[in-house]
Amino acid sequence: MPLKDTLARVDADLAAGRIPAARQRLRGLVSSFPSDLTLRRRLAEVYRLYDEPAEAGRWMYLEEDRDPAETAAFETRYGTTSGRMRALGWKGPESLARTSFARGQLAAVRTACSRDAGRPVDWDTVPSPGDGANRRRSLTSCLAGAGCLAMALAFLAIWVNGLLALFE
């Protein structure tokens, strides 16, 4: 469906109070046209209707007139640079951005992610959360796994013991 037709449906959905449908259409449009800052702004406005400052901040991140509280909420929700890169959903080089502010924001996020990953990254090769330093397991998760294994073995031992007692 052409962009104009989809935007007309978004307007109709909003006028009829079908905010989830409008949000879904806009998310699809942003995915198809990631460099269109107007679509990102409209999606942020829809998230404000939901009182979702982190998501509004996500979609306004490339705008100079963004709300600092929404930006902080976005950065808190997506605490890693790779998480922010993935959340922004940008495709291609920063030069596709229509404003110098947006180009600067994109470059800053990409540069920070490259530094954190220990290698150059671009918008088409965003590191997954399991890459690099994030692969290290914490002591807590190892202990939790060991505890689950011990509980499963204890349950199996009790079950086998009961089965043997049944046939004696």
Side-chain angles (χ1 to χ4, degrees), residues 4 16 25 30 44 52 64 70-72 76 82-83 87 97 108 114 128 138 144 147:
K4 276 187 172 184
R25 287 184 206 284
V30 169
E52 280 280 343
E64 196 163 7
E70 290 175 349
T71 300
T76 299
S82 64
S114 293
S128 66
S138 69

Side-chain angles (χ1 to χ4, degrees), residues 31-90:
S31 178
S32 297
F33 304 99
S35 62
D36 190 330
L37 299 181
T38 306
L39 293 175
R40 289 172 176 268
R41 180 179 289 274
R42 291 206 54 195
L43 185 53
E45 291 167 3
V46 169
Y47 275 109
R48 285 188 192 106
L49 296 174
Y50 279 111
D51 195 29
E52 280 280 343
E55 290 302 309
R58 172 186 183 183
W59 300 112
M60 285 294 289
Y61 198 75
L62 304 178
E63 297 286 350
E64 196 163 7
D65 64 340
R66 63 192 184 170
D67 180 325
E70 290 175 349
T71 300
F74 164 68
E75 290 174 341
T76 299
R77 179 173 289 173
Y78 299 94
T80 64
T81 54
S82 64
R84 285 186 202 124
M85 276 188 81
R86 193 172 304 308
L88 288 172
W90 190 261

Side-chain angles (χ1 to χ4, degrees), residues 1-165:
M1 180 178 300
L3 178 63
K4 276 187 172 184
D5 294 343
T6 306
L7 286 174
R9 285 188 170 203
V10 166
D11 291 337
D13 288 336
L14 289 172
R18 294 186 302 262
I19 298 171
R23 181 195 68 204
Q24 197 59 34
R25 287 184 206 284
L26 283 168
R27 288 204 54 154
L29 286 174
V30 169
S31 178
S32 297
F33 304 99
S35 62
D36 190 330
L37 299 181
T38 306
L39 293 175
R40 289 172 176 268
R41 180 179 289 274
R42 291 206 54 195
L43 185 53
E45 291 167 3
V46 169
Y47 275 109
R48 285 188 192 106
L49 296 174
Y50 279 111
D51 195 29
E52 280 280 343
E55 290 302 309
R58 172 186 183 183
W59 300 112
M60 285 294 289
Y61 198 75
L62 304 178
E63 297 286 350
E64 196 163 7
D65 64 340
R66 63 192 184 170
D67 180 325
E70 290 175 349
T71 300
F74 164 68
E75 290 174 341
T76 299
R77 179 173 289 173
Y78 299 94
T80 64
T81 54
S82 64
R84 285 186 202 124
M85 276 188 81
R86 193 172 304 308
L88 288 172
W90 190 261
K91 294 178 185 140
E94 290 101 14
S95 61
L96 295 176
R98 293 191 178 113
T99 67
S100 61
F101 183 81
R103 286 188 296 273
Q105 286 296 105
L106 290 166
V109 171
R110 182 186 46 77
T111 301
C113 187
S114 293
R115 183 189 64 241
D116 291 348
R119 62 178 174 81
V121 297
D122 60 35
W123 290 97
D124 298 322
T125 60
V126 179
S128 66
D131 284 354
N134 293 332
R135 277 194 200 154
R136 286 184 239 131
R137 292 184 181 199
S138 69
L139 177 62
T140 306
S141 65
C142 288
L143 290 175
C148 289
L149 179 62
M151 291 297 292
L153 290 175
F155 176 76
L156 183 63
I158 291 170
W159 183 78
V160 169
N161 188 34
L163 188 63
L164 291 175

